[in-house]
Amino acid sequence: MPELTLAKSLNQAMRTAMAQDSRVLVLGEDVGRLGGVFRVTDGLQDEFGADRVVDTPLAESAIVGVAIGLALRGFRPVCEIQFDGFVYPAFDQIVSQLAKMRARSGGRVRLPVVIRIPAAGGIGAVEHHSESNEAYFAHTAGLRVVSCANPADAFRLLRAAIACDDPVVFYEPKRRYWDRGEVDLDAPLASLDRAMVLRKGSHCTLVAHGATVATALAAAAAAAEDGVSVGVVDLRTISPLDVDTVARCARESGRVVVVHEAATFFGLGAEIAAAVTERCFDDLRAPVARVGSYGLPYPPAKLEDEFVPDVDRVLLAVRSTLSSERSPA
């Protein structure tokens, strides 16, 4: 199997999908000649032409609006939004049109549109370039929300997203674009409904997605050096949320810590905490804890290390849950 960066695995996923299906198109700002701001679409226009890899004007609402029109005509467009904070001009197109068309048509019209969004922080960028806005779209019925964490999954998940008949908001952890790993180019498409247990633990379970999966794995490895067994679940899909897998791990360990880069206030961690508590209250030894960012606009680059959850903050939350003496019912 080839060893690819996460960015190259996404590139290969689009290349494979475009080679297999002439209806697959790529559109966005600078995706053609430049190959995208992170070079994720590098070389696709040379291989498939400017009619299938389209450089668009600087207008995110138009990018998604045109994609909706293309999908209505039978195409399977893949949009690139250059940075997470740039998606807001397209918010109305996504939540008011793209998400609702299937229900509005009584199930007769499906819109197979993928919206790729480089997400979260850690690259020293200025404001509007480091946001984690997955909760906005996960809250919107009619959308699938996917978040990849490693090169192998990025390839399988993006191919599955392109093949899906539902609209998919696809998050890519920009600070993991250069992480390398083996990628099975013949692997079957990933499920868009299932989380993955990356590490089992008997004392506590960490639940993460995207960029924070690597942080959670590092925290679990550090905890193991102190004799604490910590498991890690990679959500992979935020909507639908695989509560069954999270609940199973919660029952086994009795303690759960949710890790994400978005603000904890009204965030994904709150939904997971409620779902786990509803299903596993009698098995929990401690309240579900959350580690996220603060309820503030994303800070200047010099302060982002204080803003984004790191291994120390995750371990602090793990130690806090371990201090609980509540016995399961």
Side-chain angles (χ1 to χ4, degrees), residues 295-320:
L296 299 166
Y298 201 88
K302 289 183 178 179
L303 297 176
E304 71 175 353
D305 287 344
E306 306 297 327
F307 191 79
V308 173
D310 59 10
V311 171
D312 288 341
R313 284 176 59 192
V314 175
L315 289 174
L316 183 63
V318 171
R319 283 196 290 271
S320 177

Side-chain angles (χ1 to χ4, degrees), residues 68-119:
I68 292 171
L70 287 166
L72 286 169
R73 298 292 294 173
F75 292 96
R76 308 184 78 88
V78 180
C79 308
E80 177 177 293
I81 304 296
Q82 284 194 333
F83 287 92
D84 32 50
F86 296 1
V87 74
Y88 301 125
F91 193 78
D92 180 60
Q93 290 285 3
I94 297 170
V95 303
S96 298
Q97 310 302 330
L98 183 62
K100 293 180 171 59
M101 186 61 75
R102 184 175 179 182
R104 184 181 295 149
S105 66
R108 293 188 298 275
V109 177
R110 296 189 174 189
L111 296 180
V113 175
V114 177
I115 302 172
R116 295 181 35 247
I117 303 177

Side-chain angles (χ1 to χ4, degrees), residues 154-201:
F155 177 76
R156 297 178 61 214
L157 285 167
L158 183 54
R159 288 198 59 213
I162 295 172
C164 181
D165 285 336
D166 297 325
V168 179
V169 177
F170 193 94
Y171 282 99
E172 303 165 3
K174 62 174 78 76
R175 66 185 159 111
R176 308 294 182 200
Y177 270 143
W178 302 276
D179 289 357
R180 303 185 71 88
E182 289 188 340
V183 179
D184 183 357
L185 300 180
D186 297 319
L189 305 184
S191 168
L192 295 181
D193 303 306
R194 290 288 179 267
M196 181 174 288
V197 179
L198 300 181
R199 178 177 178 134
K200 290 193 173 184

